């Protein structure tokens, strides 16, 4: 038997990885909020099942919840496919209706028994080590690890088998239909797999963790790569990382485990959002600055060329007046001139800035590529 | 039973409050629907949790206006992040909403574990604050709702053209020099305000219904934004009154869910029976699906 801490981490990591896989497809299909929607909608299934079996610990409640999860996914998709509403509105129509029916069911059917039916599936990771799978007298470890491990394997297998079909029907459903891929069937399979994973993970790890693991790893991975296969792999890794990092935080500061994992996921996303190569905010700002520099240098050489050899040259192409004529901040102008000198486009002659042969050629090339028009530089 | 409840001041108060929330939800939901942000209500109501717990932790009491302020502030911050993420990355609105929802709510849960270490018992059921009860509406609440309704409607009227362009073609809006991000922030702020109004009155999940269902219903009846906004407002108000009516008529039915179910019913009816776009209508006319026009 492993230490309870290790077992919690194992269950969380498996749940994170199992959720991150369908999460990627949901992200690409603009249905990232399916997890949250299902988390509210299952109240309906739980209430209906409870009214039949009248036992809060019955395994049928889980089955009722899973059934409602699949029903939600299918109803949302059917609604979307009518073409009358978009994905987000379809979600927003289905789950509040099911949740309301659930609340009404509690009020009418259960009445003053006063049960927290909405808390039936609120699994708590801290208790995962106490729920053990025992088979033939052998303690096989926490049940949650087996459930989530099994679902992870199932999801991996399905994705490997239907990789081509799901990829095409995600990015181009029309083409998939022309190829005879039956996107509806494929989609229901994907949604069924998602609903099953989500509901099982609710039971094991709680809603907070599941909704976070469905959204945060895929969205973070999308900022780091363009390729679907990489996105899937990266999402699983991020899911694992968030689970372990979050547990570390919760353990160190004695906080809610699932909440800490969601928080760590958020921190990770912010870091990537700022620092991702190519798409991060920092990279965007640097690229914008580079483009501004590039444009400014082009403007500089064109300006110099258009006044070269004219009477106004000493007035126009003078180091002191350039910022004024080009409407540049003096510090920015100094920077642009310095860089233009470094690439060998301009040289200083006292107060005058002169084009080199290379600079002249560059300016003519730019003007040429602008259709021969000399841009107004003043 | 009879119709005596029409004369009951409590009933009328709740009906008026619910109708106003429904109307505002319908009007703003129209813009949210067209911008694929229907689930903003859902996301913002979850994003309110850390604000509620922080307000409690800082003040040490469960003062209602204070908790409401914390909730609105934190939901608003979340909404700003959604705007920032969608404007500055390839992440689409649904995932941005999901990110904010799950991370804020998770952080709220973390703060709750901190709050639970407080020696007082006052923190018990802080998260229950998110599930309101319309039947508990007071005269003061309804007055506040009415004031906010007028304010929101005036802003929408004043910025009608700008919001219209933003809803249909943000790229064009940017090209003609509109401050797209500022408008987006303003529109989102209005929606957060409406959610804060409805949060305590009808509760989290039901506020999503009020934002989505009337707008989705109205979309089926018209292609014009003017009519859609008016229809959605009307459907929302109707849901508010009908829901209150049903809950006090039949008894033992919570008001919030009944309002949501009425709105859902109107949406379902519209999806099926609206002329030109309704599923029954298009199934009967040859080539009908083509008449339906774009979704959303």
């Amino acid at each position: 038997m492993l230490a309870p801490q290790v077992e919690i981490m194992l269950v969380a990591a498996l749940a994170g990885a199992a959720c991150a896989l369908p999460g990627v497809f949901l992200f690409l299909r603009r249905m990232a909020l399916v997890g949250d929607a299902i988390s509210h909608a299952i109240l309906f299934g739980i209430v209906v099942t409870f009214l039949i079996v009248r036992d809060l610990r019955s395994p049928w409640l889980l089955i009722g919840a899973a059934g409602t999860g699949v029903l939600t996914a299918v109803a949302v998709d059917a609604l979307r496919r009518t073409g009358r509403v978009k994905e987000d509105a379809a979600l927003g129509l289905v789950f509040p209706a099911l949740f309301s029916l659930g609340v009404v069911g509690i009020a009418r059917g259960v009445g003053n028994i006063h049960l927290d039916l909405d808390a039936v599936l609120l699994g708590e990771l801290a208790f995962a080590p106490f729920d053990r799978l025992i088979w033939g007298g052998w303690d096989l470890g926490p049940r949650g690890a087996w459930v989530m491990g099994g679902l992870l394997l199932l999801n991996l297998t399905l994705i490997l088998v239907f990789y081509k079909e799901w990829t095409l029907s995600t990015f181009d459903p029309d083409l998939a239909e022309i190829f005879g891929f039956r996107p509806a069937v494929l989609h229901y399979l994907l949604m069924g797999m998602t609903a099953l994973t989500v509901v099982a993970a609710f039971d094991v790890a709680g809603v907070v963790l599941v909704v976070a693991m469905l959204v945060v790893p895929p969205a973070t991975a999308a900022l780091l790569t363009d390729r679907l296969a990489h996105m899937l792999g990266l999402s699983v890794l991020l899911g694992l990382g968030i689970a372990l990092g979050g547990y570390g935080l919760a353990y160190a500061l004695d906080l809610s485990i699932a909440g800490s994992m969601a928080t760590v996921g958020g921190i990770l996303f912010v870091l990537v959002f700022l620092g991702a190569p190519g798409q991060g905010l920092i990279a965007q700002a640097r690229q914008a600055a580079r483009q501004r520099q590039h444009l400014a240098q082009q403007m500089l050489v064109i300006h110099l060329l258009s006044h070269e050899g004219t009477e106004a040259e000493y007035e126009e192409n003078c180091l002191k007046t350039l910022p004024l004529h080009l409407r540049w901040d003096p510090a920015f102008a100094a920077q642009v001139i310095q860089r233009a000198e470094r690439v060998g486009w301009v040289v200083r002659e006292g107060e005058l800035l002169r084009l080199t042969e290379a600079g002249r050629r560059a300016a003519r090339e730019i003007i040429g590529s602008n259709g021969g028009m000399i841009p107004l530089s003043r | 039973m009879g119709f005596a409840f029409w004369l009951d001041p409590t009933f009328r108060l709740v009906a008026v409050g619910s109708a106003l929330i429904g109307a505002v939800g319908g009007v703003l939901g129209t813009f949210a629907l067209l911008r694929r942000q229907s689930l903003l209500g859902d996301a913002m109501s979850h994003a309110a949790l850390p604000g509620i717990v922080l307000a409690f932790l800082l003040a040490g009491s469960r003062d209602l206006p204070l908790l409401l302020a914390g909730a609105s502030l934190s939901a608003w911050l979340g909404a700003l992040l959604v705007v920032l993420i969608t404007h500055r990355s390839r992440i689409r609105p649904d995932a941005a909403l999901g990110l904010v929802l799950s991370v804020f709510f998770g952080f709220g849960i973390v703060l709750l574990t901190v709050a639970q270490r407080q020696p007082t018992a006052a923190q018990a059921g802080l998260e229950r604050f998110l599930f309101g009860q319309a039947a508990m509406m007071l005269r003061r609440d309804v007055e506040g709702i009415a004031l906010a309704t007028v304010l929101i409607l005036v802003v929408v009227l004043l910025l009608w053209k700008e919001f219209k362009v933003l809803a249909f073609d943000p790229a064009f809006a940017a090209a003609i020099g509109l401050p797209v991000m500022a408008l987006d922030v303003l529109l989102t702020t209005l929606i957060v305000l409406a959610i804060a109004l409805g949060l305590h009155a009808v509760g989290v999940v039901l506020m999503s219904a009020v934002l989505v269902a009337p707008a989705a219903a109205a979309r089926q009846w018209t292609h014009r934004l003017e009519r859609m906004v008016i229809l959605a407002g009307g459907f929302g108000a109707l849901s508010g009154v009908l829901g209150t009516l049903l809950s006090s008529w039949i008894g033992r039915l919570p008001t919030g869910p009944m309002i949501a179910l009425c709105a859902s019913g109107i949406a379902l009816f519209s999806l099926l029976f609206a002329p030109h776009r309704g599923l029954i209508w298009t199934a009967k006319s040859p080539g009908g699906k083509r008449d339906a026009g774009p979704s959303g």
Side-chain angles (χ1 to χ4, degrees), chain B residues 157-214:
Chain B
L157 273 180
L158 285 179
L159 291 173
W160 177 260
K161 272 190 198 148
E162 285 79 1
F163 283 168
K164 190 175 181 177
V165 185
L166 188 70
F168 288 109
D169 199 342
F172 176 67
I176 60 174
L178 288 177
V180 175
M181 193 130 158
L183 283 172
D184 203 346
V185 167
L186 182 63
L187 187 55
T188 312
T189 307
L190 290 183
I191 297 178
V192 171
L193 189 62
I195 293 164
L197 283 183
L199 201 60
H200 197 57
V202 282
V204 176
V205 179
L206 312 165
M207 199 53 215
S208 325
V210 170
L211 272 177
V212 184

Side-chain angles (χ1 to χ4, degrees), chain A residues 244-376:
Chain A
L244 300 185
Y247 185 73
L249 180 69
Y251 189 75
L253 300 176
D254 188 21
L255 300 168
S256 150
I257 299 174
S260 302
M261 288 178 184
T263 308
V264 165
I267 295 170
L268 202 64
F269 174 79
V270 168
L271 289 180
V272 172
F273 183 62
L274 292 176
Q279 292 192 52
L281 278 193
I282 295 172
Q284 280 182 30
R286 280 167 77 174
Q287 171 138 19
R290 236 191 341 263
Q291 273 174 354
R292 214 160 82 94
Q293 266 289 337
H294 191 66
L295 196 70
Q297 291 194 21
Q298 294 189 333
M299 270 176 71
L300 177 69
V301 287
I302 291 169
H303 179 86
L304 294 178
L305 181 73
S306 64
H307 295 293
E308 199 171 40
T310 64
E311 285 169 25
E313 186 175 3
Y314 282 86
E315 165 65 22
E316 291 282 346
N317 295 358
C318 168
L319 278 173
K320 279 220 183 72
T321 54
L322 259 175
L324 192 70
H325 285 281
L326 288 168
R327 294 204 186 125
W328 285 344
D329 177 63
F332 179 69
Q335 208 184 2
V336 174
I337 293 168
Q338 202 184 5
R339 296 224 175 150
E341 276 183 307
R342 212 184 305 153
V343 296
W345 281 3
V346 297
V347 285
R348 286 176 207 233
E349 256 186 42
E351 279 296 288
L352 196 65
L353 205 59
R354 276 194 186 283
L355 284 169
T356 62
E357 194 45 49
R360 218 164 281 132
R361 215 170 30 234
R364 289 212 182 91
E365 218 166 84
I366 299 157
I367 296 169
S369 70
N370 268 356
M373 298 259 291
I374 297 176
L376 293 173

Side-chain angles (χ1 to χ4, degrees), chain A:
Chain A
M1 184 176 154
L2 300 163
Q5 289 87 345
V6 180
E7 286 187 346
I8 293 175
M9 276 195 275
L10 180 71
V11 173
L14 286 171
C19 289
L21 283 176
V24 170
F25 288 101
L26 294 179
F27 174 84
L28 293 172
R29 291 173 185 228
R30 297 176 185 251
M31 294 182 115
L33 282 160
V34 156
D36 178 64
I38 291 180
S39 79
H40 295 304
I42 53 171
L43 180 67
F44 170 73
I46 294 174
V47 171
V48 169
T49 320
F50 175 78
L51 290 179
I52 297 168
V53 299
R54 297 269 166 189
D55 176 10
L56 261 183
R57 278 169 306 176
S58 161
W60 286 101
L61 291 181
L62 188 61
I63 295 168
T68 320
V70 177
L71 174 75
T72 308
V74 170
V76 166
D77 200 54
L79 210 50
R80 181 187 64 88
R81 289 174 65 84
T82 64
R84 300 304 187 275
V85 287
K86 293 242 162 49
E87 296 88 345
D88 61 317
L91 271 175
L93 280 173
V94 171
F95 83 84
L98 286 173
F99 180 82
S100 301
L101 283 175
V103 175
V104 169
I106 292 180
R108 294 291 294 180
V110 186
N112 45 13
I113 299 176
H114 194 76
L115 294 167
D116 269 349
L117 274 181
D118 51 339
V120 166
L121 274 191
L122 282 185
E124 167 58 57
L125 269 174
F127 302 142
F130 302 117
D131 185 6
R132 310 204 68 82
L133 184 72
I134 297 183
W135 192 69
W138 288 79
D139 182 0
L140 297 177
R143 192 180 57 88
W146 286 97
V147 173
M148 292 327 299
L151 281 166
L152 175 62
L153 264 183
L154 178 72
N155 290 349
L156 262 180
T157 316
L158 282 174
I159 287 175
L160 284 177
V161 171
F162 293 109
Y163 186 75
K164 193 175 51 181
E165 285 84 354
W166 274 344
T167 310
L168 189 61
S169 73
T170 297
F171 290 110
D172 196 341
D174 296 334
L175 187 63
E177 192 138 21
I178 293 167
F179 281 0
F181 276 1
R182 310 282 301 273
V185 175
L186 287 168
H187 195 86
Y188 289 140
L189 191 63
L190 177 69
M191 295 313 265
M193 159 185 134
T194 307
L196 207 64
T197 311
V198 164
V199 174
F202 284 162
D203 187 37
V204 171
V207 173
V208 178
L209 180 72
V210 176
V211 176
M213 286 298 194
L214 277 174
V215 184
V216 179
T220 312
L223 294 179
L224 294 169
T225 173
D226 290 327
R227 298 187 54 90
L228 178 61
H230 294 178
M231 214 176 136
L232 285 165
L234 208 54
S235 293
V236 170
L237 285 181
L238 285 166
L240 293 176
I242 290 169
L244 300 185
Y247 185 73
L249 180 69
Y251 189 75
L253 300 176
D254 188 21
L255 300 168
S256 150
I257 299 174
S260 302
M261 288 178 184
T263 308
V264 165
I267 295 170
L268 202 64
F269 174 79
V270 168
L271 289 180
V272 172
F273 183 62
L274 292 176
Q279 292 192 52
L281 278 193
I282 295 172
Q284 280 182 30
R286 280 167 77 174
Q287 171 138 19
R290 236 191 341 263
Q291 273 174 354
R292 214 160 82 94
Q293 266 289 337
H294 191 66
L295 196 70
Q297 291 194 21
Q298 294 189 333
M299 270 176 71
L300 177 69
V301 287
I302 291 169
H303 179 86
L304 294 178
L305 181 73
S306 64
H307 295 293
E308 199 171 40
T310 64
E311 285 169 25
E313 186 175 3
Y314 282 86
E315 165 65 22
E316 291 282 346
N317 295 358
C318 168
L319 278 173
K320 279 220 183 72
T321 54
L322 259 175
L324 192 70
H325 285 281
L326 288 168
R327 294 204 186 125
W328 285 344
D329 177 63
F332 179 69
Q335 208 184 2
V336 174
I337 293 168
Q338 202 184 5
R339 296 224 175 150
E341 276 183 307
R342 212 184 305 153
V343 296
W345 281 3
V346 297
V347 285
R348 286 176 207 233
E349 256 186 42
E351 279 296 288
L352 196 65
L353 205 59
R354 276 194 186 283
L355 284 169
T356 62
E357 194 45 49
R360 218 164 281 132
R361 215 170 30 234
R364 289 212 182 91
E365 218 166 84
I366 299 157
I367 296 169
S369 70
N370 268 356
M373 298 259 291
I374 297 176
L376 293 173
S377 58
R378 219 169 314 179

Side-chain angles (χ1 to χ4, degrees), chain B residues 47-71:
Chain B
L49 183 61
I52 294 172
V53 187
L54 264 184
F56 166 77
L57 280 175
L58 292 178
S61 75
R62 302 179 52 157
D63 187 25
L64 185 64
L66 201 77
L67 292 191
L68 259 182

